[in-house]
Amino acid sequence: MMTATMVAGCVLFALGCGADRGPGADSATPTDKTVTQTVTTTPSIPGPGSPEPVEPKGDTIDPRPVPWISATPEAGGERLRLVWWSGVEPCRTLDRVEVDESAAEVKATIYEGPARDAQNVACIEIAVQKTTTVTLKAPLGDRKVVDGAR
């Protein structure tokens, strides 16, 4: 997990370098030889690490909905694996996942908050990809999966 985080930090640092060359830099004018590059991003960073599995702990302070980036059916559609970006514990702790099921859709909402014992604790500001799995009342089938935090 630490390796993926370090790779992400290095990539972001490298992308930020050279954006502003500062005073005195030559101001080249575009010519017909100017190359435009399109950069696309994905919500997760491929690499040796995988999302950190976490279980709901409950009893957090003022839990708030957090958007997830993927919901993958498992075990024949009886479970749903959710992946989202978060921060480090105890400042960003999974409180619960609420699942509302209907005939047409499954709405999954992740709730996070600081752990009750996290008062007067300093946490580093770093992105951590987390995952948890919820069991559905009925197999997913053709139902649409909806993010309750969006």
Side-chain angles (χ1 to χ4, degrees), residues 88-107:
V88 297
E89 290 189 23
C91 295
R92 296 288 301 264
T93 302
L94 177 59
D95 183 83
R96 67 187 183 279
V97 178
E98 290 183 1
V99 179
D100 295 319
E101 298 185 47
S102 71
E105 71 179 25
V106 172
K107 181 168 40 171

Side-chain angles (χ1 to χ4, degrees), residues 51-141:
E52 176 185 334
V54 296
E55 295 291 325
K57 296 192 174 148
D59 198 34
T60 63
I61 299 170
D62 193 26
R64 298 173 187 257
V66 176
W68 41 262
I69 59 172
S70 70
T72 308
E74 293 182 342
E78 293 178 4
R79 293 190 312 238
L80 201 57
R81 181 178 183 255
L82 302 170
V83 177
W84 72 101
W85 284 106
S86 182
V88 297
E89 290 189 23
C91 295
R92 296 288 301 264
T93 302
L94 177 59
D95 183 83
R96 67 187 183 279
V97 178
E98 290 183 1
V99 179
D100 295 319
E101 298 185 47
S102 71
E105 71 179 25
V106 172
K107 181 168 40 171
T109 310
I110 295 171
Y111 288 88
E112 284 189 334
R116 197 152 297 280
D117 59 357
Q119 296 177 7
N120 299 321
V121 173
C123 292
I124 60 171
E125 291 289 324
I126 190 167
V128 177
Q129 199 174 69
K130 296 180 181 178
T131 184
T132 197
T133 303
V134 294
T135 302
L136 303 176
K137 292 178 183 172
L140 182 61

